[in-house]
Amino acid sequence: MLPEFNVTDVGSNAVIKSSDFVAGSAGAFVHIWGTWCAPCEKEMPEFLSYAGKVQDKGVKFLLVAVNDEEAKIKKFLTRFPNIPKNVTFAIDKENRVMDQLGTLKVPETFLFSNTGKHINKFIGPQDWLAESYVTRLDFWLNDQKMDERKIETH
């Protein structure tokens, strides 16, 4: 299940509660990253493109920067003028989210259902432009027998 945590929205400075973020969505990705992480930097354009491709499916993306500084995140984000509307960038000011999710290194991405059930875990950078990520999303978010399904790890 999605652990309860609070992070700060980089754009508005509002506190985001993990359970509130997931509620009302078809599902939500929680992506752990940092501006100091070269693989994260390389993966980001494809990840944002993927978020845009699946936006109409009602999926949300919470990109949580860890061990980072807000000024560095804002500077990094200037490279991406067209961030999809279903993407929220946040900072973990207390540096607790990695521990709560069991993340040892970044990038790491988790997919949760709208009830907070952990569906999938993606370890390390992924090829988000591969069509399989779009087509498999329908399977991952399908409610049928979700309780019986095991967590996939990539």
Side-chain angles (χ1 to χ4, degrees):
M1 287 301 288
L2 176 67
E4 193 62 55
F5 60 80
N6 295 326
V7 291
T8 304
D9 185 309
V10 172
S12 69
N13 240 9
V15 174
I16 300 169
K17 187 175 176 180
S18 58
S19 58
D20 291 343
F21 186 83
V22 170
S25 69
F29 284 89
V30 176
H31 181 69
I32 309 300
W33 71 288
T35 60
W36 45 267
C37 165
C40 301
E41 182 179 3
K42 183 177 185 299
E43 176 186 49
M44 189 62 70
E46 288 185 8
F47 194 58
L48 292 175
S49 177
Y50 174 70
K53 280 184 178 182
V54 299
Q55 185 168 255
D56 293 342
K57 295 180 182 287
V59 179
K60 293 181 179 180
F61 290 76
L62 181 62
L63 284 69
V64 180
V66 295
N67 301 318
D68 221 322
E69 298 173 25
E70 196 166 346
K72 289 181 180 179
I73 298 165
K74 288 181 177 180
K75 182 179 179 184
F76 178 81
L77 294 181
T78 61
R79 296 169 41 192
F80 306 99
N82 299 314
I83 295 172
K85 290 181 171 68
N86 60 335
V87 173
T88 302
F89 281 91
I91 185 170
D92 178 14
K93 291 183 176 182
E94 298 176 359
N95 289 317
R96 293 184 181 167
V97 175
M98 282 183 70
D99 287 342
Q100 289 174 292
L101 290 171
T103 300
L104 299 175
K105 62 181 185 173
V106 296
E108 201 159 273
T109 308
F110 300 82
L111 175 60
F112 295 95
S113 72
N114 60 357
T115 62
K117 178 175 174 32
H118 184 198
I119 300 171
N120 211 323
K121 180 178 181 179
F122 305 89
I123 300 170
Q126 303 292 309
D127 181 9
W128 294 106
L129 295 182
E131 190 59 29
S132 61
Y133 285 97
V134 175
T135 57
R136 297 266 309 156
L137 186 60
D138 290 330
F139 167 76
W140 291 327
L141 296 178
N142 185 336
D143 287 336
Q144 290 184 328
K145 298 185 180 183
M146 187 173 285
D147 290 337
E148 299 170 18
R149 202 176 309 149
K150 294 182 180 176
I151 296 170
E152 289 186 26
T153 303
H154 300 268

